[in-house]
């Protein structure tokens, strides 16, 4: 999930001092936890990347939900439901259904065949260096796009919840978020990062749950009454909140675009590198499966909460007040918090929103650093021959610092712009480049190195090209109210691809490229390795059980 850029200005009733204080307490508490758990060794690659496989399925499931649910799940989806009703809730459906793909096709098989990264799975029966380089390229691309959106979104959240409206102040906060993120990764590795994600998930789900019960209590726990009040507050278009089509039923093109977005959301989750890496933090494939089941329940519960919060905001705050507030739709949940519990509840919700960013960016950073150190440095550059067993971890730590610094500067540069395309790009690349390659590797015996390279590089290239030449970058009409175009670049138009989301084209094309690259190649797969991978992926035979150190 992503954090969208919010408009300048603060939410009415917000107390910046209280918000910063609560957020500061969260940072101090979680850093204390990270320092405490780091007393257990984090010098080995297994400890730093996967916490030695020492987390149980339920623990990892909570951490996955913390890694997956970001501020946009709270602010963005609640706002979308408040303003667009049924169509807004379709985002929740897409994000939740995606986990069935991860559960049924990826989680257990990936845990049985890999070690730390996606590159491990591909390199099991293919030529190591080219497929690891390709897997790392895709991983770094997805992580960077996602990370940049999160960091830039931090600036927007500052504007919305702390009333820091000047660019310099927002840049300072982005730098602080980046510095704390780097500290989490360097001090605690995957173990520390996982506990941050667990704490954040508990706070986010608990906060949303409390607000949900509060809203329902005001209406005698009658959700139909909430819907009726939301329809009444919506005025002439209120009835449309209960039916599909309010946001995406305007034309055939918008409907196709939403279908394209839905494909990317449903298929992209199972290819997100920071989600895939979480499957290795448990000792067995069975625990990986359990962790996904836990994640499905927790994420599903959270999205049920957003349904009540969205319609509750529409009923109690009103769509006009939400649209007029700083941040527009993204201010629905904070405004509802203020309506329910005043400044204190708003301060708690503001802190939870910031906590989501910290947890997500920490997970992205450790994934990107692990991919570079393990796939590129250790296996491509050093060809698997490291003089010092701790050398790989040292490179990963250095990489984490570099990625953190780049993310800070990138977030500052992107702050205030429409960077929603970065999120669409991350999910589209994951669905187009990563997932086809993973599925082919696991289920198609003939699949070879050439097919993997065609699928990864082709899917990545096609997705980037279609996004660059889509309306999200240039060409959208100027809004009469704001005087700005919704496109990233103002005053230019070089788009030729009509859809905002390329998934409906890039995903099938990537599967096709993987097929063509395989059948047109004369390379014959290693039959012994193919058989070994098939047995190992389905049964776990031959897999060394990871244990906590």
């Amino acid at each position: 999930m992503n954090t969208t850029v919010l408009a300048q200005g603060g939410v009415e009733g917000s107390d910046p001092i209280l918000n910063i204080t609560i957020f500061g307490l969260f940072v101090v508490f979680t850093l204390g936890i990270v320092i405490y758990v780091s007393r257990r060794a984090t010098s080995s690659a297994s400890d730093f990347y996967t916490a030695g496989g020492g987390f149980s399925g339920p623990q990892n499931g909570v951490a996955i939900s913390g890694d997956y649910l970001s501020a946009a799940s709270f602010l963005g989806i609640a706002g979308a439901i408040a303003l667009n009703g049924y169509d807004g809730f379709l985002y929740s459906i897409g994000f939740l259904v995606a986990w069935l793909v991860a559960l049924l096709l990826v989680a257990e098989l990936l845990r049985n065949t890999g070690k730390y990264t996606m590159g491990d799975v591909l390199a099991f029966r293919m030529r190591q260096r080219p497929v690891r380089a390709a897997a790392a390229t895709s991983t770094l691309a997805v992580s960077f796009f996602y990370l940049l959106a999160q960091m830039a979104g931090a600036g927007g959240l500052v504007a919305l919840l702390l009333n820091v409206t000047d660019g310099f102040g927002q840049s300072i906060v982005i730098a602080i978020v980046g510095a704390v993120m780097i500290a989490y990764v360097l001090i605690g590795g995957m173990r520390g990062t996982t506990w941050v994600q667990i704490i954040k998930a508990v706070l986010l789900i608990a906060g949303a749950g409390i607000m949900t019960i509060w809203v329902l209590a005001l209406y005698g726990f009658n959700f139909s009454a909430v819907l009726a009040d939301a329809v009444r507050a919506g005025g002439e278009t209120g009835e449309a909140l209960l039916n599909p089509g309010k946001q995406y039923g305007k034309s055939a093109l918008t409907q196709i675009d939403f279908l394209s977005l839905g494909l990317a959301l449903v298929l992209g989750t199972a290819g997100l590198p920071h989600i895939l890496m979480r499957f290795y933090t448990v000792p067995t494939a069975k625990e990986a499966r359990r962790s996904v089941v836990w994640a499905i329940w927790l994420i599903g519960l959270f999205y049920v909460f957003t349904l009540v919060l969205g319609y509750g905001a529409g009923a109690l705050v009103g769509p006009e007040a939400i649209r007029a507030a700083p941040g527009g739709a993204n201010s629905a949940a904070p405004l509802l918090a203020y309506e329910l519990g005043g400044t204190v509840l708003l301060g708690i919700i503001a802190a939870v929103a910031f906590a989501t960013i910290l947890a997500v960016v920490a997970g992205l950073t450790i994934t990107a650093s692990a991919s570079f150190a393990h796939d590129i440095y250790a296996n491509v550059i050093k060809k698997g021959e490291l003089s010092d067993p701790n050398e790989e971890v040292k490179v990963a730590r250095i990489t984490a610092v570099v990625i953190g610094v780049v993310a800070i500067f990138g977030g500052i540069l992107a702050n205030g712009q429409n960077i929603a395309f970065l999120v669409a790009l991350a999910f589209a690349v994951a669905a187009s480049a990563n997932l086809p390659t993973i599925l082919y590797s696991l289920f198609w015996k003939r699949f070879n190195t050439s097919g993997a390279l065609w699928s990864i590089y082709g899917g990545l290239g096609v997705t980037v090209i279609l996004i660059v030449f889509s309306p999200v970058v240039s060409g959208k009409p100027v809004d009469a109210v704001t005087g700005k175009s919704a496109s990233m670049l103002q005053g230019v138009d070089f788009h030729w691809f009509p859809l905002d989301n390329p998934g409906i084209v890039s995903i099938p094309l990537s599967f096709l490229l993987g097929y063509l690259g395989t059948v047109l190649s004369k390379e014959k797969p290693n039959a012994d390795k193919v058989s070994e991978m098939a047995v190992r992926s389905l049964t776990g035979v031959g897999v060394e059980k990871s244990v906590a150190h």
Side-chain angles (χ1 to χ4, degrees):
M1 301 280 302
N2 65 294
T3 302
T4 50
V5 169
L6 311 176
Q8 302 289 321
V11 170
E12 182 181 356
S14 177
D15 183 344
I17 302 300
L18 177 64
N19 297 349
I20 292 173
T21 300
I22 298 175
F23 179 60
L25 291 174
F26 170 83
V27 171
V28 171
F29 176 70
T30 51
L31 275 176
I33 295 292
V34 168
I35 293 171
Y36 175 76
V37 300
S38 71
R39 294 187 302 175
R40 304 177 71 174
T42 57
S43 57
S44 71
S46 176
D47 270 310
F48 188 75
Y49 296 153
T50 63
F55 285 97
S56 66
Q59 286 175 326
N60 194 45
V62 178
I64 287 175
S65 64
D67 213 359
Y68 191 67
L69 297 172
S70 73
S73 299
F74 198 24
L75 305 182
I77 293 180
I81 294 172
L83 297 182
N84 298 303
Y86 186 100
D87 282 12
F89 189 57
L90 289 177
Y91 282 98
S92 298
I93 300 298
F95 284 125
L96 181 59
V97 169
W99 283 100
L100 295 178
V101 179
L103 173 63
L104 298 176
L105 297 179
V106 174
E108 187 174 359
L109 305 181
L110 207 71
R111 176 62 184 81
N112 281 337
T113 53
K115 189 176 182 182
Y116 302 135
T117 66
M118 182 179 74
D120 291 331
V121 178
L122 305 185
F124 191 96
R125 63 182 182 92
M126 300 178 194
R127 285 184 283 130
Q128 290 253 344
R129 298 180 73 188
V131 295
R132 283 190 182 277
T137 300
S138 177
T139 296
L140 291 171
V142 174
S143 300
F144 179 72
F145 296 142
Y146 215 173
L147 192 57
L148 188 58
Q150 296 289 331
M151 297 298 287
L157 278 173
V158 171
L160 181 64
L161 300 173
L162 301 186
N163 201 23
V164 179
T165 57
D166 63 290
F168 179 75
Q170 293 181 21
S171 299
I172 294 296
V173 174
I174 291 174
I176 292 173
V177 169
V180 175
M181 165 190 75
I182 294 171
Y184 283 154
V185 174
L186 293 184
I187 297 171
M190 179 57 85
R191 183 175 283 109
T193 300
T194 299
W195 279 110
V196 172
Q197 290 162 345
I198 290 173
I199 294 168
K200 166 255 174 160
V202 171
L203 290 176
L204 182 62
I205 295 173
I210 290 170
M211 288 179 63
T212 297
I213 293 172
W214 202 324
V215 169
L216 291 175
L218 293 177
Y219 288 89
F221 291 94
N222 183 353
F223 185 55
S224 295
V226 179
L227 296 177
D229 211 12
V231 169
R232 179 195 55 76
E236 295 181 0
T237 61
E239 195 68 34
L241 293 171
L242 305 181
N243 301 307
K246 190 174 189 299
Q247 183 176 2
Y248 295 106
K250 299 174 182 177
S251 67
L253 188 62
T254 58
Q255 293 174 358
I256 294 173
D257 197 28
F258 182 74
L259 176 62
S260 184
L261 172 64
L263 280 174
L265 297 183
V266 170
L267 298 179
T269 297
L272 289 174
H274 63 295
I275 298 298
L276 298 178
M277 195 169 176
R278 293 231 55 89
F279 299 144
Y280 300 121
T281 62
V282 291
T284 64
K286 179 182 178 181
E287 290 299 300
R289 188 170 64 248
R290 285 185 70 203
S291 66
V292 176
V293 172
W294 271 77
I296 289 174
W297 279 104
L298 291 172
I299 294 168
L301 178 65
F302 178 82
Y303 285 141
V304 171
F305 291 162
T306 63
L307 182 65
V308 177
L309 296 180
Y311 279 112
L316 296 172
V317 179
E320 294 304 318
I322 294 172
R323 289 191 182 95
N330 297 287
S331 63
L335 287 173
L336 177 62
Y338 182 66
E339 185 75 21
L340 295 173
T343 305
V344 174
L345 183 59
L346 176 57
I348 294 172
I349 296 308
V352 169
F354 280 110
T356 63
I357 290 182
L358 281 176
V360 174
V361 296
L364 288 166
T365 302
I366 198 167
T367 300
S369 62
S371 183
F372 178 83
H374 182 63
D375 290 323
I376 297 295
Y377 182 79
N379 287 286
V380 175
I381 297 176
K382 290 291 186 176
K383 301 180 182 179
E385 299 175 1
L386 298 175
S387 57
D388 180 358
N390 296 326
E391 184 179 354
E392 184 179 323
V393 176
K394 292 177 182 177
V395 172
R397 291 179 184 275
I398 295 171
T399 305
V401 175
V402 173
I403 291 172
V405 172
V406 171
I408 289 171
F409 282 104
I412 291 173
L413 292 175
N415 186 31
Q417 296 189 41
N418 175 17
I419 47 81
F421 78 97
L422 290 173
V423 177
L425 190 52
F427 270 87
V429 170
S432 303
N434 293 355
L435 187 63
T437 313
I438 292 171
L439 295 182
Y440 276 146
S441 297
L442 293 172
F443 297 108
W444 188 20
K445 294 181 178 180
R446 189 179 173 184
F447 193 56
N448 57 27
T449 305
S450 178
L453 299 181
W454 279 44
S455 180
I456 292 177
Y457 289 127
L460 175 61
V462 168
T463 305
V464 171
I465 290 172
L466 292 181
I467 283 283
V468 168
F469 292 101
S470 74
V472 295
V473 175
S474 71
K476 286 192 175 182
V478 175
D479 186 90
V481 177
T482 63
K484 291 185 177 181
S485 168
S487 298
M488 179 186 177
L489 302 179
Q490 305 290 315
V492 294
D493 183 3
F494 50 80
H495 88 280
W496 49 261
F497 184 66
L499 304 177
D500 288 359
N501 303 284
I504 199 169
V505 175
S506 61
I507 296 171
L509 189 56
S510 183
F511 273 102
L512 177 62
L513 287 171
Y515 171 79
L516 292 176
T518 300
V519 298
L520 295 178
S521 170
K522 296 181 180 180
E523 177 189 356
K524 299 295 182 183
N526 186 319
D528 292 337
K529 281 291 185 181
V530 170
S531 299
E532 182 184 351
M533 184 173 184
V535 172
R536 180 178 291 196
S537 66
L538 294 173
T539 66
V541 173
V543 180
E544 293 183 9
K545 291 187 178 181
S546 302
V547 292
H549 296 284

